[in-house]
Every structure is written in C-alpha cells, then in structure tokens.
Amino acid sequence: MAIADAPGALDGALDTRRAARRYDLDWLRVIAFGLLIFYHVGMFYVRWDWHVKSVYAGPAAEPLMLLVNPWRLALLFFISGVAVRFATDKASSPWAFAGARLYRLGLPVLMGMIVVVAPQSYFELRQAGAIEPGYLAFWGNYLKLEQLYPMITPTWNHLWYVVYLLVYILLITPVLPLLRRFAEGAGATALGAVAGGPVRLLLLITIPFIIYEMTLTPHFPTTHNLVNDWANHAHRFTIFMLGYFAAKHAGFWRSVDRVLPLAAVIAVGLGALRLYARSYHYDFYAGLFEGASAPVMTMLITLYAWSAIVLLFGLAQRFLNRPSKALTYLTGAVFCYYILHQTITVVAGYYLTQLHLGAWPEFVLVAGITVGGCALGYEILRRIPLLRVFFGIKGKSGGALARLSPVRA
C-alpha cells in the first residue's frame, strides 16, 4: 500500500537523470486514512444509516461530514493508482505483482471478514434488538452461508475499499504491459492535453465524473457489494486509473502546483457556501437538487471535490515533501489502523452510549478509544510474525517511503 521506489519522469517520459524522494503522497495517504477513521466515528453521531447509533445522534455534525464526503475516498483511490503504477513498473512480471497484491490485500480481507468485521454485525443486530446476547453463538451462524440475519454474512463492511482495489488490480493485470506503453506514449500526450494547464486540470477532469453522477448514480445507488455497484465502480476505477496515468507525468504535477491558489479559492469558496446554505437555508438548499438546478449542483459539487483533492496535492507538494520519523512509523501502521478502526468504534460506541455521559464526553471517549485501540493493536500485532500479513503490516520496518517523480523541471 505504500508508494514504491521508482525512477523519475518528465512530461510523461521516463527520466533517468534524476529522482527526487517524494514524501508528500505518503503523507496524504496517512491523512486520508486518518480522516476516514474520524469520519466513521462521526457516522456514529449523524442520522445517516450506520451499524450502531449514539443516543445523541442528530444533524449537528452532518454539514461538516458532507464537506469531506465528496473527496475522501477519491483521494485514496487516486493515491492507490499512483502506487500501482510505480510498483508494476518495478515488478518482475505483471503476474508476480498480482500474486503479491493477492497476498498483501487478500489475506487482510479474509481475516477481516472472518474475525475483525464480525463484531460490527453482532452489535448492529444487538442494538436493533434482532438477536439475543451471546457472541460465540452469533459468530457460528455468521460464518454460515445460510443468511440467518437481515444482512449479508459474512461481510467485508468498511473493507470494501480493499476489495475493490484488489479487483481493479486484477482487472488491469493482463494488460499491464500495454498500459505501461500507453502511459509513456499516447496516454501521456492525452493527459498533457487534458491536465497540462491549470484551468484545464480543474475543469476537464471533472467531466467523466459529472457524467457518471447524472447517468449512473440515479440508477445504481452505492451498495459496496461489488455486484450492481456500477456508479461507484465508475467513479472509483476512473480515479484509480487517473492516478496510474498521472503518477509519472511531471506536467500534471506542475499544473497542480501552478493551480494551487485557484484550487484553494474554489474548494474553500464552494465548501463554505455549501456549509452555509445547508446550515441556514436548508429547504432552499435541498430544493436545488431537484428539477432544472440539479445538474448545476452536480457540476458544482464535483468541481468542489476535485478542487479539494488538487488543493491537498498542491499543499502536500509544497509543505509535506520531507521525511520524518512520524511518517516512517505511520506509513507502516496506517493500513493496520484502517483494518481495526471501525470495529473498535462500533464496540466502544455501543457500550458507551448506554451510559448517557453527554454528547461531548462520549465523543471524546469513542474517538480516543478508537485511536488508542488502533495504536495498541498495531503495536501488539506487528510483534507477532504469523499475524502481521493478516493485518496489513509489512514487517518490522513498516515499509519503504515514497520515491516518486520530480514535479518541477
């Protein structure tokens, strides 16, 4: 999952003259997973459907959650596409790479579905009053394929990101040699035409995502069940492949740097406007998603999401492209944190909300237990060689830091 070492690139063509260490995308990966963890803590407190709910759940946190929601997972899939590009270019063969990804991603999914995620389903059913206490009895039924509960079991829940990423990798494996040649030739030229200028970078790349929102999303709501999740697949696979083609395209990264001020104005401006409208003029805001104004809102939200991602890329290039001991540690830990966090949140939230401690004390405890539980789990698991691979831990060093292409010629 960490960005692999690789030679640099210039305007889409390999540049063997120099290579610059790039820590910024590893930092962004850590930040994106951190946001995801706190987003799921937030899901315990909003009115949207989730596994368990706090007695204090309500609308208060929803506007802030909506600011993060349009881009949080797109950022992860883009960075994953970058990582796959560098890793596949170094692999001895496409099939060796695919086998390594099956090992590195498939085993955590297997462990997650059998062991880690099961408590989420148990406490969801317990809070709904659908089953009696007794986890071991539930777990035995959970592992059966008879579907004894009003949900699919066993399930991957929050691990759907890993499942989808693995599927996308396996899909492109047979054509990786062709993809590489295309990325270094006609693909680099096409990306330069689309994203080689700052304004084009912000506007043209949003077009396919706007089309998906207007054509696929109304017919294929997100399910995370891999099948019939076509709108979600269109979004995620496209941004994943965009990361793959942009990985070594220095023109793309130069445009990111040049467009930073404009991206900041658009992302902050549209985000603040949406936050204000939803918070203080909700009926008017909700009405904008119906009728003739709906396509305009789709375009604006998509532009906001992509501008926010570009803003993060630009800020990371300028201010986070440096090594640190914290990055070394977090790069190795963050995948394990991701695997563990939602189960810890669900269990902690289920019990703590019964104590009626007050919204803020409860939130602080749920968030603290989630982060502390992830940290403790990682420290224990990385010391057990037989379990490390099942929780996304590479080894004692936690994996290599990023070596990506220079962004300034």
Side-chain angles (χ1 to χ4, degrees):
M1 296 296 293
I3 309 300
D5 288 352
L10 182 62
D11 293 326
L14 288 180
D15 178 10
T16 58
R17 294 173 298 169
R18 60 176 179 169
R21 282 190 79 86
R22 286 277 306 271
Y23 302 92
D24 50 340
L25 291 188
D26 264 343
W27 268 120
L28 279 183
R29 175 176 169 269
V30 168
I31 291 169
F33 273 121
L35 283 173
L36 191 61
I37 290 171
F38 281 98
Y39 184 89
H40 286 154
V41 173
M43 287 295 292
F44 184 56
Y45 290 98
V46 295
R47 295 169 297 179
W48 310 331
D49 184 45
W50 204 59
H51 307 288
V52 295
K53 286 294 173 183
S54 169
V55 295
Y56 306 107
E62 290 174 5
L64 290 175
M65 300 274 283
L66 284 172
L67 288 181
V68 178
N69 195 49
W71 52 263
R72 59 190 179 88
L73 285 164
L75 177 62
L76 274 175
F77 275 100
F78 185 101
I79 295 173
S80 297
V82 174
V84 167
R85 172 68 185 280
F86 282 88
T88 53
D89 282 359
K90 289 185 63 180
S92 59
S93 73
W95 300 108
F97 172 76
R101 292 305 92 186
L102 274 171
Y103 178 75
R104 291 279 297 134
L105 302 180
L107 291 182
V109 170
L110 185 63
M111 173 64 75
M113 293 181 66
I114 295 174
V115 177
V116 179
V117 172
Q120 298 178 30
S121 299
Y122 172 74
F123 286 104
E124 179 177 351
L125 292 168
R126 287 287 300 121
Q127 191 174 74
I131 60 173
E132 296 297 322
Y135 180 75
L136 291 179
F138 160 80
W139 191 43
N141 291 329
Y142 168 90
L143 295 177
K144 295 178 181 178
L145 300 178
E146 300 177 20
Q147 304 307 308
L148 302 175
Y149 304 110
M151 60 176 63
I152 296 175
T153 57
T155 180
W156 48 59
N157 280 358
H158 69 291
L159 298 180
W160 72 268
Y161 156 74
V162 186
V163 175
Y164 281 31
L165 177 59
L166 181 57
V167 169
Y168 298 161
I169 289 171
L170 296 178
L171 281 175
I172 68 172
T173 294
V175 294
L176 275 174
L178 293 176
L179 276 178
R180 181 179 181 179
R181 288 195 292 271
F182 181 74
E184 294 172 3
T189 302
L191 184 59
V194 172
V199 176
R200 284 177 285 159
L201 172 70
L202 285 183
L203 297 182
L204 296 183
I205 286 180
T206 64
I207 291 174
F209 302 100
I210 293 170
I211 293 172
Y212 300 153
E213 277 297 301
M214 295 177 66
T215 60
L216 291 176
T217 299
H219 303 289
F220 299 101
T222 298
T223 63
H224 296 155
N225 68 0
L226 192 62
V227 180
N228 294 324
D229 202 14
W230 298 114
N232 196 27
H233 280 309
H235 281 283
R236 306 313 175 196
F237 186 68
T238 300
I239 198 74
F240 168 78
M241 292 307 300
L242 178 60
Y244 178 90
F245 288 116
K248 296 186 177 184
H249 198 290
F252 175 91
W253 296 105
R254 283 199 302 272
S255 292
V256 166
D257 187 65
R258 290 166 57 196
V259 81
L260 178 58
L262 179 59
V265 169
I266 294 174
V268 174
L270 288 179
L273 186 62
R274 188 184 189 196
L275 186 64
Y276 172 80
R278 195 182 187 281
S279 299
Y280 297 102
H281 305 281
Y282 182 78
D283 291 340
F284 171 75
Y285 170 80
L288 292 175
F289 290 89
E290 301 174 357
S293 59
V296 176
M297 293 303 295
T298 295
M299 289 187 283
L300 289 176
I301 290 175
T302 306
L303 177 61
Y304 159 73
W306 178 239
S307 297
I309 291 173
V310 172
L311 172 61
L312 290 171
F313 286 152
L315 291 174
Q317 281 188 155
R318 292 192 182 189
F319 303 111
L320 294 180
N321 199 7
R322 59 179 61 92
S324 75
K325 291 182 180 180
L327 179 60
T328 303
Y329 177 85
L330 291 172
T331 298
V334 71
F335 189 26
C336 179
Y337 277 42
Y338 167 73
I339 293 168
L340 296 175
H341 80 276
Q342 186 162 290
T343 295
I344 299 172
T345 299
V346 167
V347 176
Y350 173 84
Y351 285 110
L352 285 171
T353 202
Q354 298 177 44
L355 302 179
H356 297 273
L357 300 171
W360 279 108
E362 181 187 283
F363 170 78
V364 170
L365 283 173
V366 172
I369 290 171
T370 298
V371 176
C374 289
L376 180 62
Y378 172 67
E379 288 300 326
I380 292 171
L381 291 166
R382 71 173 181 154
R383 290 168 168 81
I384 306 175
L386 290 177
L387 291 181
R388 281 201 295 254
V389 68
F390 289 100
F391 290 88
I393 303 170
K394 262 191 161 182
K396 293 182 180 180
S397 65
L401 293 175
R403 181 180 293 273
L404 295 182
S405 60
V407 298
R408 296 179 180 86

